[in-house]
Amino acid sequence: MNVIREARSDTARKRPVNLSLNEDLVDQARAFTDNLSAVVEDLLRRYVSERNEALRTRIQEADRLASMWNAFNERNGSFADEHSTL
């Protein structure tokens, strides 16, 4: 699993994208802002940041569990050793 890189900055190059959004929702949002692009970009930045943090947490947890298993295996040996036919 790769952690998605964070956006470099607010000054990163912008490019047009084509989105399909609920028309009623867009009309409601326009009542609150004239810059819908900035709002969507901010929400997308937060979403990516949250997903990256969740991924980092899962990776850290997996590393921690692997370390615990390896320590157990070093102390007690492998369960497979008792059942090996070799």
Side-chain angles (χ1 to χ4, degrees), residues 33-67:
T33 183
D34 291 330
N35 191 347
L36 190 56
S37 291
V39 171
V40 171
E41 186 173 313
D42 182 54
L43 292 169
L44 190 58
R45 182 181 294 109
R46 282 192 261 164
Y47 175 79
V48 168
S49 179
E50 288 170 4
R51 300 295 0 130
N52 277 332
E53 186 58 34
L55 182 57
R56 281 186 207 100
T57 299
R58 285 178 52 200
I59 290 169
Q60 288 171 350
E61 181 67 9
D63 288 345
R64 186 180 73 77
L65 291 172
S67 293

Side-chain angles (χ1 to χ4, degrees), residues 69-79 81-82:
W69 177 255
N70 289 337
F72 176 87
N73 193 39
E74 286 177 20
R75 282 191 313 272
N76 302 298
S78 172
F79 290 126
D81 290 344
E82 295 178 28

Side-chain angles (χ1 to χ4, degrees), residues 3-20:
V3 175
I4 300 171
R5 64 179 171 79
E6 300 289 333
R8 292 178 300 240
S9 71
D10 289 336
T11 60
R13 184 174 62 94
K14 305 225 185 234
R15 68 178 173 120
V17 296
N18 196 10
L19 298 174
S20 296

